[in-house]
Amino acid sequence: MASAASQVILHPAVSQGLKYGGTTLGRDKLYRAIQYFSRFYAWHLLNKGDKVEAARWAALKAHLGTARKLMRLGKPLEHLQAALRATLSAGPVEETITTIARQLGYVGYLSYDAIVWAQSIKLVNLSQETAQRVAKRAFQFWFAGIVFSLIHGVLKASRLSKEAELLKRSASQGEKDLGDVAAKETRLNAIAAARKSNQQQLLIDILDVWIPATGAGLLNINEGALGIFGLISSLLGAKAQWIAVNGKK
């Protein structure tokens, strides 16, 4: 019995899970997935008329949202640093500008989101009208950040596609130098990896953009759809973080 328990507790999958859960980003992605599933399920139960059970899942969603806001305190500085690094990069101008705009959008979003958190735990007392205005402004900045992220992703995808085509065309012209062939092959592999990562980020942004768009009052998408979109994007982000932590695909 003890041997069987040891095999379960010390199983590599358990160790990998603990390693993943030991990262702040890993926990955040897990909490986010549960939060958005709760959002969908509360909507589903409410549509069925089960108000008591729906209230339980809505409360779970709300508490996870508050917990995640606490975990994000200080992140505006990370995005400010990322914006500053982008100004010093030697990349294409269009991609640099959209990167800076995206990071500044997230700075605004997370800064206002911190005020929303402070209001939710009664650390600050805002009038209902002011609290709603602050929450809406947070959604507006989040929406702007994702829009610039989408523009950046499209620009990057176009550049990488053109670069890959040029390298393939050059390689097909009978290059004989083994060193040049190997270098081009290495570069093509790097471009393929960058394109895959960029495509996944584009998909996550496409799924997520509806959430702040609705919160900012630009659209009116129901809670069920927003819950599903958020759940899928959370699982995609969780998978990427799992690979980053454990090195397994």
Side-chain angles (χ1 to χ4, degrees), residues 200-222:
Q200 175 159 306
Q201 186 58 52
L202 273 170
L203 177 56
I204 290 173
D205 288 338
I206 289 169
L207 289 166
D208 277 347
V209 72
W210 311 104
I211 301 169
T214 299
L218 302 174
L219 297 173
N220 186 24
I221 299 176
N222 68 59

Side-chain angles (χ1 to χ4, degrees), residues 96-211:
T96 299
I97 292 172
T98 51
T99 295
I100 294 169
R102 174 184 61 184
Q103 298 299 341
L104 292 178
Y106 291 148
V107 169
Y109 157 54
L110 293 167
S111 297
Y112 276 95
D113 201 49
I115 301 173
V116 173
W117 169 80
Q119 164 72 7
S120 70
I121 65 166
K122 309 302 180 185
L123 186 62
V124 298
N125 292 312
L126 304 176
S127 67
Q128 184 176 0
E129 182 182 346
T130 302
Q132 290 174 348
R133 189 164 59 247
V134 168
K136 185 174 182 179
R137 188 58 52 85
F139 280 122
Q140 289 170 339
F141 273 112
W142 184 10
F143 176 73
I146 295 181
V147 168
F148 280 115
S149 183
L150 283 167
I151 296 171
H152 173 84
V154 171
L155 291 171
K156 187 174 182 179
S158 177
R159 174 177 61 80
L160 291 173
S161 178
K162 290 176 182 177
E163 191 172 341
E165 283 299 318
L166 285 173
L167 281 171
K168 288 176 182 177
R169 198 175 304 157
S170 174
S172 66
Q173 291 176 351
E175 192 72 60
K176 299 300 182 182
D177 190 295
L178 293 179
D180 287 345
V181 171
K184 288 178 180 178
E185 188 66 30
T186 300
R187 179 57 188 157
L188 278 171
N189 289 336
I191 291 174
R195 291 178 75 179
K196 183 177 179 181
S197 176
N198 188 57
Q199 287 167 359
Q200 175 159 306
Q201 186 58 52
L202 273 170
L203 177 56
I204 290 173
D205 288 338
I206 289 169
L207 289 166
D208 277 347
V209 72
W210 311 104
I211 301 169

Side-chain angles (χ1 to χ4, degrees), residues 34-35 38 55-65:
I34 299 171
Q35 177 189 354
S38 300
R56 291 178 58 199
W57 287 91
L60 176 60
K61 177 200 74 172
H63 284 294
L64 284 172

Side-chain angles (χ1 to χ4, degrees), residues 1-11 14:
M1 186 69 178
S3 176
S6 297
Q7 288 180 1
V8 172
I9 295 171
L10 298 176
H11 192 276
V14 176

